[in-house]
Amino acid sequence: EGLVEELGALAARESAACGINWIFSPCAAVALDLRWGRTYESFSEDPALCGRLSAAEVRGIQRCGLPMAACAKHWVADGGTALGTGKFDMGGIGKAVKSFGLDQGNADCDDAELRATHVAPYLPALAEGVLTVMVSYSSLNGVKCHASRALVTGLLKEELGFRGVVVSDYNAVQQCGDSYSAAVCKVVNAGVDIVMTAGGLFGDLTWRRQLEELEAAARARLAEGGGEGEGEGEG
């Protein structure tokens, strides 16, 4: 734990020297299958060890003596996705679908398993005051995590009391609906605070157009007298 904390502080100081004050780490995922495409990001298959080391990295990053935010990711159960459910599709960036892949797949688990295996590693990081949390590309029981109000707002923000910033993964919004407008409404209503986007770099909507789509959807919703909208549908 001491070494991870020290390395976190080192990364934070180096990032600060480059003008960066936000590090997308630690990864609190529990890798349950060595074939998973993001196994290299996980500390362990042991939830308790993942939790301790995630907390150590948060301490190192956020207590380095400089203004720096850590980011626990990827919320949640990304390490439990099943073989055959994943594909490479970063919001339309990847053209080749690889059905045998585990990246961005689906995790089937009940509430008890979700909490004991996949939520548990986040608790020490939350207790250390991690400032941000990133949502996973993957799905839980067939529902995109980015579009799940139950996971983002209900569990993370309300039940666990997280008061920091929730950020999307890179171009993940586009995976949650047939149109950008529909997708971004699902994601924002689920509780995501910041949308991370390529901004048109890979042929999708420019960042300015994405903002316009979100603003138009919000104004239309307000004009209808709508509330929080739909955040539980499948993406």
Side-chain angles (χ1 to χ4, degrees):
E1 292 178 43
L3 178 59
V4 171
E5 184 172 344
E6 184 177 343
L7 289 172
L10 177 61
R13 289 193 291 269
E14 290 181 342
S15 297
C18 297
I20 297 169
N21 61 5
W22 190 6
I23 294 180
F24 288 162
S25 194
C27 182
V30 178
L32 299 181
D33 191 326
L34 288 175
R35 298 167 296 180
W36 180 43
R38 293 173 179 260
T39 301
Y40 65 92
E41 287 192 291
S42 173
F43 283 118
S44 172
E45 63 181 357
D46 177 6
L49 181 57
C50 285
R52 293 199 303 272
L53 296 182
S54 293
E57 191 163 4
V58 170
R59 288 195 299 273
I61 292 172
Q62 296 189 175
R63 300 181 187 177
C64 68
L66 297 166
M68 187 66 60
C71 182
K73 62 181 188 181
H74 306 86
W75 182 261
V76 61
D78 49 339
T81 50
L83 182 66
T85 63
K87 62 181 181 179
F88 177 74
D89 180 17
M90 294 179 67
I93 297 174
K95 304 302 181 183
V97 175
K98 302 176 182 178
S99 60
F100 55 85
L102 276 171
D103 190 32
Q104 306 177 36
N106 179 65
D108 281 315
C109 61
D110 59 22
D111 188 65
E113 180 183 358
L114 172 68
R115 291 170 181 273
T117 303
H118 302 291
V119 174
Y122 284 85
L123 302 183
L126 294 175
E128 287 292 344
V130 65
L131 293 172
T132 68
V133 171
M134 183 186 296
V135 185
S136 176
Y137 282 119
S138 60
S139 303
L140 177 65
N141 298 323
V143 178
K144 282 288 188 182
C145 293
H146 278 80
S148 175
R149 184 171 177 82
L151 287 179
V152 180
T153 294
L155 180 53
L156 179 61
K157 292 186 174 183
E158 295 179 349
E159 182 177 333
L160 298 181
F162 180 63
R163 294 294 179 264
V165 171
V166 176
V167 61
S168 81
D169 210 330
Y170 189 67
N171 262 27
V173 170
Q174 287 87 327
Q175 299 183 5
C176 295
D178 295 332
S179 67
Y180 185 81
S181 178
V184 75
C185 285
K186 283 186 180 182
V187 172
V188 171
N189 286 332
V192 174
D193 302 305
I194 295 178
V195 171
M196 180 165 46
T197 174
L201 183 62
F202 296 95
D204 57 343
L205 298 178
T206 65
W207 65 268
R208 190 179 299 278
R209 182 58 182 162
Q210 290 179 26
L211 286 175
E212 291 172 353
E213 290 273 344
L214 176 57
E215 182 178 359
R219 289 184 182 279
R221 189 66 178 164
L222 290 172
E224 295 170 0
E228 292 172 337
E230 298 177 359
E232 286 301 304
E234 293 186 30

